[in-house]
Amino acid sequence: MLLFRVGGVPVLLAPSWWIGSLIIVVLYTPLVSRLLPGASSGMSWVLAAAFAVLLGLSVLAHELGHCVVALRLGIPVRRVRLFLLGGLSEVARTPRKPGQEGLVAAAGPFVSILLAALCGLLLLAVPPGGPTWLLVAQCAVANLAVGVFNLLPGLPLDGGRMLRAGVWALTGVRAKGTKAAVFGGGLVAVALLVWALWGLAEGSEDRWLRLGVCVVTAWFVALGASSEFAAEGRRGWPDGLEVSDLMRPVLQLPAESPVSAALSASAGRGVVLVRADGVAAGLLDEPSAQRLAAEAPHAPAEFAAEPIRAETVLLLSEPGDDIAERVHEVASWQFLVVDDEGRPAGVLHREDVRMAMSGHRRPTR
């Protein structure tokens, strides 16, 4: 469900958020009765629901902190999403510098802790012991919990991203930072489970709430850490491999060329089809060209062109890790490589990149 947009970035509420909020309401209601002994059953449910909403708003503010800083640093954000007991700001590309990753990661906890401090000051002005006092206290606790928890040094938490940025800055290798932060994520997941079991053993008042939150959160952390590790593996550009080693020579042909002729000329090369006005119509899509040539060999090759989009254009000077990440994320089987002046330098095929990164072969052209 779309809530609103920030700087053109959609903010979405996933259906699982309602499930998480319901779990919190059910588990937190008995605790409200203990915190406010005079509260009725209905009031306890209302205050528990208010806590679930405040926790959601705290997560939203936290994620908006990430989003705004990323946009200010020129890092595009696809969307902000709230889901079961958490949120995520999905950046469209990985920060290219450790400092950028560190700033984006730190923005969320900074917002959360700032809001917790403001709520703490507001508590001084509210008479203690009543429903209003408990609501403000809930807001302070929710923001403090979100901020402090996210500072834990393990992926996919913000503290893990900050740890990765620090190791990356010290070693110059992002993958080393990811490995350290993934290990930290594993420790965080184990610590959450131990804390939940400790609460059960001690018979603490919040043991069931603690158990529910910790089990789901530990699962989220473990899953996120493994996903980050897998994503880093997809970025692992082989040492010594240049983009020019993989890209195919590029040939420019008039868009009105017969598709059969364009297909013959494309052997081992990428073909850019150019219209009479000098605008590129697209890259020749070989499978489409073969089908079209079988039916109408003299049809214009433009009819079998794959449009050239911004996300399918790569700079020859881009770092290999960034190119590997883009090739993995963008649904296209070929990419146009251009030099720093925008001139076509070659065409890169997804399969060539995949094979080179898997170590099966290193194409030479």
Side-chain angles (χ1 to χ4, degrees), residues 123-181:
L123 278 176
L124 301 177
V126 177
T132 302
W133 178 88
L134 183 58
L135 279 175
V136 177
Q138 286 175 342
C139 190
V141 170
N143 281 284
L144 185 63
V146 170
V148 172
F149 173 70
N150 274 279
L151 285 174
L152 294 177
L155 286 171
L157 304 176
D158 300 325
R161 301 188 188 282
M162 294 165 68
L163 173 61
R164 173 166 62 188
V167 175
W168 181 9
L170 289 173
T171 65
V173 181
R174 188 177 190 274
K176 291 183 178 180
T178 298
K179 290 179 181 178

Side-chain angles (χ1 to χ4, degrees), residues 1-296:
M1 180 174 70
L2 177 65
L3 297 179
F4 53 88
R5 293 179 182 271
V6 176
V9 178
V11 178
L12 307 175
L13 186 68
S16 63
W17 182 86
W18 298 99
I19 298 174
S21 297
L22 180 60
I23 293 172
I24 289 175
V25 171
V26 171
L27 296 177
Y28 188 68
T29 298
L31 189 58
V32 173
S33 300
R34 296 188 184 94
L35 294 172
L36 291 179
S40 64
S41 176
M43 177 63 71
S44 296
W45 281 97
V46 169
L47 290 174
F51 177 70
V53 172
L54 288 171
L55 182 60
L57 292 174
S58 300
V59 172
L60 176 60
H62 180 100
E63 295 303 328
L64 290 179
H66 291 311
C67 179
V68 170
V69 172
L71 293 175
R72 290 295 299 270
L73 291 174
I75 302 173
V77 180
R78 289 197 188 95
R79 60 180 180 173
V80 173
R81 188 163 58 97
L82 303 182
F83 52 89
L84 180 66
L85 296 179
L88 182 65
S89 298
E90 299 180 10
V91 296
R93 65 169 174 81
T94 301
R96 294 194 171 98
K97 298 178 180 179
Q100 291 182 335
E101 175 146 35
L103 285 173
V104 173
F110 174 80
V111 170
S112 296
I113 293 173
L114 177 62
L115 289 175
L118 292 175
C119 290
L121 291 175
L122 186 58
L123 278 176
L124 301 177
V126 177
T132 302
W133 178 88
L134 183 58
L135 279 175
V136 177
Q138 286 175 342
C139 190
V141 170
N143 281 284
L144 185 63
V146 170
V148 172
F149 173 70
N150 274 279
L151 285 174
L152 294 177
L155 286 171
L157 304 176
D158 300 325
R161 301 188 188 282
M162 294 165 68
L163 173 61
R164 173 166 62 188
V167 175
W168 181 9
L170 289 173
T171 65
V173 181
R174 188 177 190 274
K176 291 183 178 180
T178 298
K179 290 179 181 178
V182 165
F183 180 75
L187 293 180
V188 169
V190 171
L192 285 169
L193 295 177
V194 169
W195 187 54
L197 294 175
W198 182 267
L200 287 177
E202 291 289 308
S204 62
E205 291 186 351
D206 66 341
R207 60 188 179 277
W208 298 114
L209 176 63
R210 187 191 302 187
L211 179 64
V213 172
C214 284
V215 167
V216 174
T217 307
W219 170 79
F220 165 73
V221 170
L223 184 64
S226 62
S227 297
E228 290 280 354
F229 187 75
E232 191 64 48
R234 292 191 294 267
R235 287 176 51 89
W237 191 261
D239 292 337
L241 181 65
E242 301 292 338
V243 176
S244 56
D245 296 332
L246 299 180
M247 67 185 190
R248 300 166 184 248
V250 64
L251 175 67
Q252 298 188 51
L253 291 177
E256 64 273 14
S257 301
V259 65
S260 57
L263 196 57
S264 298
S266 69
R269 294 182 286 190
V271 177
V272 178
L273 299 169
V274 183
R275 298 192 181 103
D277 58 4
V279 176
L283 291 171
L284 184 70
D285 185 346
E286 292 183 16
S288 298
Q290 289 171 353
R291 291 192 295 270
L292 181 59
E295 299 173 359

